[in-house]
Amino acid sequence: MTELNDGKPRKIKSARPYSFTLEEDTTSYGTYIRGGIVTQVKPPKVLKFKTLKEAIKEPGEFLMSDFSKFDRPPLLHLAFQALDKFRTELLRFPIAGSADDAQKLIDFAISINESLGESKVEETDKKLLQHFASGSRAVLNPMAAMFGGIVGQEVVKACSGKFHPLYQFFYFDSVESLPVEPLEASDLKPENSRYDAQISVFGAKLQKKLEQSKIFMVGSGALGCEFLKNLALMGISCSENGKLTVTDDDVIEKSNLSRQFLFRDWNIGQPKSTVAATAAMAINPKLHVEALQNRASPETENVFNDAFWESLDAVVNALDNVTARMYIDSRCVYFQKPLLESGTLGAKCNTQMVIPHLTENYGASRDPPEKQAPMCTVHSFPHNIDHCLTWARSEFEGLLEKTPTEVNAFLSNPSGYATAARTAGDAQARDQLERVIECLDRDKCETFQDCITWARLKFEDYFANRVKQLTFTFPEDAMTSSGAPFWSAPKRFPRPLEFSSADPSHLNFLLAASILRAETFGIPIPDWAKNPKKLAEAVDKVIVPDFQPKQGVKIETDEKATSLSSASVDDAAVIEELIAKLEAISKTLPPGFHMNPIQFEKDDDTNFHMDLIAGFANMRARNYSIPEVDKLKAKFIAGRIIPAIATSTAMATGLVCLELYKVLAGGHKVEDYRNTFANLAIPLFSMAEPVPPKTIKHQDMSWTVWDRWTITGNITLRELLEWLKEKGLNAYSISCGTSLLYNSMFPRHKVRLDKKVVDVAREVAKVEVPSYRRHLDVVVACEDDDDNDVDIPLVSIYFR
């Protein structure tokens, strides 16, 4: 249907992954056969905004954030007008806690509301207006962080024309963050401190709690830097009795500097936690912070021990992976500590409050795992640049890191390496031996010209010969077993590349490949290598053999395949031959020969790593008629950089810190807390109460994931069974870790009944309770009197 090839955008409907319907008359067009490449375009949208004067009078629809406060935005719109009038007439803000000033503002609001006619607010909430008046002068760090994130993104939208602007008005309040008990005016009086604004809203008592709080912050990257700034400005852990412990095992990289704003370029290579903590202390010298470089994990429970966890008031996650989040969540559940969780992805952010006995824990609900491209798609049938870059990163690591590492492993212990290959005896071990032999034999480099030859032959292999073999095995008119065209969407039919030293992209690929290959062999790079003319001359000297496609070559097409190695019945015999060949080759190597494996480093623009990966990906994209990308975009995808921007990070941390007021004040109900999902690009703000934990009931008892049953005393297994029997529970199995301490089905277990539980654990489970721990945890499987299974909490026996 050649009429569609004019490049004009066209409206479509009924879009599916690989097909759509044109929203136009195509009766006069040619016949559509199959295939074709389509690019989605988003037409620009024109928005017309009212002037501020018009919008104040007729605000229209408000952007909502919390649907439990559906009537709140019109009232806040009125309240801000009343505040403007108060300031115009009295030349000041209302005084915090002043009943007279609050009444004046309420009077102004009622007066303005009456003048609005049909668009007036039906009911003016006087209590809300009192809160509004009392706190109107205060500048609070969490609100500034949250609104700063929103406004910052709006500025970027205005400058770039990208994403949808916030249309007219957005109002937000967090009245739930205020203390549960009413505050006396005396508690709101300024103390001539940097926290006077905060005191005027939350009172001196809560301020003291903030300063004396003991907080554990896990991570000090993008979220962590924002949190440290917020906590320092709020006065969290800023007294002798308070303590903020921050841990992060990572060091600062160049790419962090765009959004992890407590770091500077001279901090590259230094520990994140130490640098961030030092910067936070510059913001507030009274901050009592300890910076650690330990990963919070089961291996560091001697550092973050029971006494440490029991001393905490709250835990703040600033993590970037689910595994670490799940671990911290499990510790918070175990020690019954509040967890304030958040995350960002580009312009999106979310926050989740995990409050003991009030909300479900983080691990109670999980996002579905991200879909990964099938291996056969990445290796033979790519249809987008992500596939090409995934393949490029894999080839980089295989050629320059894994194979040189394997070579060194063999050279350091030839007999041990051979034994391991024989023991494995599979296709993977065979392929690994072949790669090592190839590297030390056919592909061994002694001069820089050898490296150029290797790079030129690799170009031919990757971008010409493999494509010729693929299209020989599956011609353009090939059909599947069901009679459908093999090369149908999303597969793209590839074309081999013809190398030309006059093509800068070809030459740049060879330059990067040659230099990195030379590095792995410890070969000096000559000065002429970076001269395009001289490099082209050296490349043109390389003799490239003709390629003939082979019959019967197996190319994986199964999307469920997890390996490209094909097993063979005589793998063991082949491995023996390869080991013999490898041992023979090793005798020809100079004494002390070793290779230098290269680890991928995305942030050094002079190391040629990204040049090679971008070259690999773009040449492959050219094979498959996929749009190519520049080095920066390639770095973003191949470097697996999670898109993070300061705006959504600031907003997320601001929202979490509003929740932190509630956590440290105490006494708040579940309906006072808020979980948030926001997307600053749309923009969308969605706030909701957290989900309460699942409750299990038995007789007159009930419990949740937050409960842990404790028994004090060095009891026996029999005593534990009797303790549970008193609760109407018949225990039939007791385990510790992965070991079974007792099961009623096993007669030999009855001899253990009169032994101490901790002794049985030492004897059977080989558990050695560390000196810092006073208890042992056991998992008990129980039934009620009707033989129904009852899922009971973890049982902790305090034997010391």
Side-chain angles (χ1 to χ4, degrees), residues 22-250:
L22 281 166
E23 210 174 88
E24 60 185 90
D25 181 8
T26 59
T27 49
S28 62
Y29 292 4
T31 306
Y32 172 73
I33 302 167
R34 65 182 176 90
I37 295 167
V38 180
T39 305
Q40 182 183 5
V41 292
K42 291 184 179 179
K45 184 178 180 181
V46 177
L47 293 174
K48 289 189 168 70
F49 288 85
K50 297 175 183 176
T51 64
L52 179 60
K53 189 174 183 179
E54 291 170 329
I56 286 173
K57 285 183 181 176
E58 295 178 9
E61 283 190 27
F62 296 98
L63 178 61
M64 293 296 299
S65 64
D66 188 337
F67 284 92
S68 68
K69 302 176 181 177
F70 196 77
D71 57 349
R72 191 67 56 84
L75 183 55
L76 291 174
H77 187 69
L78 178 64
F80 274 100
Q81 292 176 72
L83 179 62
D84 283 343
K85 188 159 186 179
F86 186 104
R87 291 181 64 195
T88 303
E89 295 200 5
L90 280 78
L91 304 176
R92 62 175 176 83
F93 280 95
I95 296 167
S98 167
D100 290 343
D101 280 4
Q103 189 56 50
K104 278 193 183 79
L105 186 135
I106 290 168
D107 291 342
F108 285 140
I110 291 169
S111 171
I112 294 166
N113 193 40
E114 291 301 323
S115 69
L116 295 176
E118 290 182 6
S119 57
K120 74 175 185 177
V121 176
E122 289 300 319
E123 191 177 335
T124 51
D125 184 338
K126 291 185 180 178
K127 188 178 178 184
L128 181 77
L129 291 172
Q130 284 169 352
H131 287 314
F132 180 90
S134 185
S136 61
R137 186 180 178 184
V139 176
L140 300 177
N141 164 261
M143 292 291 275
M146 183 232 170
F147 272 103
I150 295 171
V151 173
Q153 191 66 55
E154 292 305 309
V155 171
V156 173
K157 291 175 188 177
C159 296
S160 65
K162 188 174 182 182
F163 300 143
H164 196 291
L166 196 156
Y167 194 67
Q168 303 293 176
F169 282 105
F170 171 62
Y171 285 102
F172 170 80
D173 74 86
S174 183
V175 176
E176 306 80 24
S177 294
L178 294 172
V180 177
E181 298 298 324
L183 296 170
E184 298 293 329
S186 58
D187 200 33
L188 304 174
K189 282 183 180 174
E191 298 181 350
N192 197 25
S193 76
R194 66 184 296 166
Y195 313 118
D196 279 352
Q198 199 160 254
I199 290 169
S200 73
V201 176
F202 296 99
K205 290 192 189 80
L206 180 53
Q207 183 60 45
K208 193 172 181 182
K209 278 188 178 180
L210 300 182
E211 291 173 37
Q212 294 181 343
S213 61
K214 293 176 177 64
I215 307 292
F216 183 30
M217 195 177 86
V218 192
S220 58
L223 285 164
C225 283
E226 283 283 351
F227 273 127
L228 274 168
K229 175 261 293 178
N230 292 356
L231 300 179
L233 290 171
M234 291 165 70
I236 300 286
S237 307
C238 286
S239 76
E240 283 303 311
N241 295 329
K243 186 176 181 183
L244 171 61
T245 305
V246 56
T247 191
D248 194 315
D249 67 341
D250 202 4

Side-chain angles (χ1 to χ4, degrees), residues 499-720:
F499 179 80
S500 168
S501 57
D503 186 324
S505 59
H506 292 193
L507 212 55
N508 287 340
F509 170 82
L510 259 65
L511 172 65
S514 305
I515 286 174
L516 292 174
R517 185 66 170 178
E519 279 182 27
T520 62
F521 278 94
I523 297 168
I525 292 110
D527 294 337
W528 57 263
K530 295 175 187 176
N531 181 314
K533 189 177 178 185
K534 291 187 176 178
L535 180 65
E537 288 171 3
V539 170
D540 289 338
K541 290 177 188 174
V542 178
I543 298 167
V544 179
D546 290 336
F547 175 76
Q548 287 298 324
K550 297 171 188 170
Q551 293 282 356
V553 172
K554 183 177 183 337
I555 295 172
E556 187 61 72
T557 58
D558 182 3
E559 293 193 353
K560 293 176 183 174
T562 56
S563 172
L564 298 176
S565 301
S566 51
S568 168
V569 288
D570 56 351
D571 275 339
V574 173
I575 284 170
E576 283 302 327
E577 286 178 24
L578 293 172
I579 288 170
K581 189 173 181 182
L582 186 54
E583 287 170 348
I585 291 167
S586 67
K587 290 170 184 170
T588 67
L589 298 173
F593 175 84
H594 74 281
M595 294 190 71
N596 306 311
I598 296 173
Q599 280 196 322
F600 174 58
E601 171 49 62
K602 66 183 181 298
D603 289 328
D604 182 351
D605 291 333
T606 64
N607 65 9
F608 289 96
H609 294 194
M610 277 313 309
D611 298 82
L612 180 58
I613 283 180
F616 257 132
N618 283 332
M619 294 304 101
R620 189 167 177 79
R622 208 172 285 185
N623 280 140
Y624 287 87
S625 304
I626 294 167
E628 297 172 35
V629 289
D630 59 24
K631 199 165 87 170
L632 189 65
K633 177 76 172 172
K635 179 180 182 176
F636 181 81
I637 300 168
R640 294 165 195 157
I641 298 170
I642 296 170
I645 47 178
T647 51
S648 54
T649 310
M651 182 181 180
T653 57
L655 289 166
V656 168
C657 288
L658 285 171
E659 301 299 308
L660 187 57
Y661 287 129
K662 304 170 192 177
V663 168
L664 296 178
H668 285 271
K669 297 175 182 176
V670 68
E671 51 265 29
D672 288 344
Y673 289 96
R674 290 290 183 273
N675 290 347
T676 304
F677 171 78
N679 186 341
L680 291 173
I682 299 177
L684 166 75
F685 306 97
S686 175
M687 295 169 188
E689 289 174 22
V691 178
K694 181 185 173 186
T695 302
I696 298 168
K697 294 182 178 179
H698 169 69
Q699 295 181 354
D700 58 347
M701 297 181 292
S702 64
W703 57 85
T704 70
V705 68
W706 289 101
D707 290 293
R708 180 158 53 109
W709 288 351
T710 59
I711 305 172
T712 305
N714 197 3
I715 63 167
T716 64
L717 277 170
R718 191 184 301 278
E719 287 170 328
L720 174 56

